[in-house]
């Protein structure tokens, strides 16, 4: 069982839950979350996700990954009450991370957003 904030992913049982409540995902959405969980805090490229989902067999366009990530992100955000767990790194891919709440706004933000905010404030 891997935990990230309120999110729990049981890779053996292929079960996803938030605060012990199951989250219903499609097979492809689960596969995206599975790879992001295995590579937590690391950027996972769309090519890596495509290979994980389709294994090189009859792969569709890369943009389909964005669709799966968007749907997965929406389900996780709804299930967690607004926490964001998947960061899109423009031009690179996606990563799963522990949500960070900034003291000033009390809104969950990704690690890259926090770094950008820090740099904007101090530079």
């Amino acid at each position: 069982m891997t935990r990230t904030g309120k999110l729990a992913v049981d890779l053996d049982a292929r079960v996803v839950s938030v605060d012990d409540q199951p989250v219903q995902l499609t097979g492809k959405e689960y596969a995206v979350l599975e790879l992001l969980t295995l590579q937590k805090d690391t950027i996972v490229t769309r090519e890596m996700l495509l290979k994980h989902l389709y294994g090189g067999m009859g792969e569709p366009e890369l943009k389909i990954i964005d669709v799966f990530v968007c749907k997965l992100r929406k389900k996780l955000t709804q299930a967690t009450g607004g926490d964001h767990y998947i960061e899109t790194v423009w031009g690179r891919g996606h990563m799963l991370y522990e949500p960070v709440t900034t003291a000033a706004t009390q809104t969950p933000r990704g690690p890259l957003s926090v770094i950008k905010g820090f740099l904007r404030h101090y530079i």
Side-chain angles (χ1 to χ4, degrees):
M1 177 86 63
T2 303
R3 291 195 171 274
T4 304
K6 300 176 190 176
L7 178 67
V9 181
D10 187 335
L11 296 170
D12 295 326
R14 298 182 56 90
V15 174
V16 178
S17 60
V18 172
D19 291 333
D20 297 320
Q21 297 299 314
V23 177
Q24 298 300 315
L25 302 177
T26 66
K28 298 296 187 198
E29 291 165 350
Y30 176 82
V32 168
L33 183 58
E34 176 182 52
L35 185 58
L36 291 173
T37 299
L38 291 169
Q39 301 292 326
K40 184 178 173 204
D41 296 322
T42 304
I43 296 171
V44 178
T45 66
R46 285 196 262 150
E47 291 83 3
M48 292 167 65
L49 286 163
L50 201 59
K51 185 174 181 179
H52 184 71
L53 268 65
Y54 294 97
M57 305 284 290
E59 294 178 356
E61 294 290 322
L62 282 175
K63 284 291 186 183
I64 194 68
I65 297 302
D66 296 334
V67 173
F68 293 135
V69 169
C70 181
K71 289 181 177 183
L72 175 61
R73 184 182 282 133
K74 183 177 179 179
K75 287 182 180 180
L76 294 179
T77 301
Q78 287 175 343
T80 61
D83 291 349
H84 300 278
Y85 288 88
I86 301 173
E87 177 87 15
T88 298
V89 182
W90 191 82
R92 306 263 328 266
H94 307 280
M95 72 177 183
L96 181 73
Y97 65 92
E98 187 91 29
V100 177
T101 303
T102 60
T105 62
Q106 291 300 310
T107 56
R109 298 173 64 189
L112 297 177
S113 299
V114 172
I115 292 169
K116 289 175 192 173
F118 174 82
L119 292 175
R120 214 174 303 129
H121 182 71
Y122 288 99
I123 293 180

